[in-house]
């Protein structure tokens, strides 16, 4: 299999993922904890945060090559919350603590309060199958 070449810049991919997350957060229902749909939603959040981490690393790599370590460190510190939330979600899923994930989701909602959800996707369930993908990845 050949190497995957990204034609979209990391910042654009990050923005698209953040908008998808914001859209999902508008429809998440914590009364459905334990259902397959809720597992898919949480897995989608996890996988999205994981992809955002990759874009952060892609953004920083050229800066560090040029010796812009201060700029890279500042950028990394701006996005520290992504790794924290993702690792907390991963730990809670691994320990079967689905009912405790609400704290991370609320923190994520605060971080994404300025990100506008995608209006056209409100009726679509784009997160379906994410838990199966999560099992493959982790």
């Amino acid at each position: 299999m050949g190497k995957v070449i990204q034609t979209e810049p990391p910042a654009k991919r990050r923005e698209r993922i953040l908008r998808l997350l914001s859209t999902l957060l508008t429809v998440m229902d914590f009364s459905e904890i334990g259902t397959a749909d809720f597992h898919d939603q949480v897995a989608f959040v996890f996988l999205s945060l994981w992809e955002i981490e990759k874009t952060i690393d892609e953004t920083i790599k050229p800066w560090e090559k040029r010796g812009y370590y201060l700029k890279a460190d500042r950028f990394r510190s701006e996005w520290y919350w992504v790794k924290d939330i993702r690792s907390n979600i991963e730990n809670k899923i691994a320990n079967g603590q689905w009912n405790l994930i609400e704290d991370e989701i609320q923190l994520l909602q605060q971080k994404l309060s300025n990100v506008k959800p995608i209006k056209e996707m409100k009726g679509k369930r784009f997160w379906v199958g994410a838990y199966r993908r999560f099992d493959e990845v982790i």
Side-chain angles (χ1 to χ4, degrees):
M1 187 180 225
K3 183 178 178 182
V4 176
I5 299 173
Q6 296 287 349
T7 58
E8 194 175 43
K12 201 67 148 163
R13 287 198 328 269
R14 197 167 36 251
E15 178 185 331
R16 186 173 36 84
I17 294 168
L18 289 172
R19 289 201 61 206
L20 279 171
L21 278 173
S22 180
T23 305
L24 172 63
L25 294 177
T26 62
V27 297
M28 265 186 111
D29 184 5
F30 288 97
S31 65
E32 297 182 359
I33 293 175
T35 65
D37 200 41
F38 184 75
H39 288 187
D40 276 342
Q41 291 173 346
V42 172
F44 184 85
V45 169
F46 172 85
L47 293 170
S48 296
L49 293 174
W50 194 27
E51 286 300 316
I52 290 171
E53 279 185 72
K54 290 179 189 177
T55 68
I56 293 166
D57 291 340
E58 287 175 41
T59 300
I60 290 172
K61 191 181 288 184
W63 294 343
E64 290 179 331
K65 276 186 177 178
R66 293 185 189 103
Y68 301 148
Y69 300 110
L70 213 57
K71 183 176 183 175
D73 287 343
R74 263 191 249 125
F75 188 79
R76 191 178 288 117
S77 69
E78 282 178 38
W79 291 93
Y80 76 94
W81 58 269
V82 173
K83 187 173 185 173
D84 287 347
I85 294 174
R86 185 202 47 80
S87 64
N88 288 342
I89 288 174
E90 183 177 14
N91 290 335
K92 289 179 181 178
I93 290 173
N95 295 323
Q97 299 172 321
W98 292 92
N99 56 331
L100 301 177
I101 291 176
E102 187 173 359
D103 296 336
E104 276 66 35
I105 299 302
Q106 287 176 349
L107 181 58
L108 184 60
Q109 285 174 327
Q110 290 172 2
K111 292 292 186 183
L112 301 182
S113 63
N114 294 331
V115 178
K116 293 183 181 181
I118 303 170
K119 292 180 183 177
E120 304 86 52
M121 295 187 74
K122 282 209 175 180
K124 297 182 182 170
R125 297 164 33 93
F126 53 87
W127 58 84
V128 173
Y131 189 66
R132 189 173 0 95
R133 174 78 174 119
F134 171 82
D135 276 343
E136 292 171 4
V137 171
I138 301 302

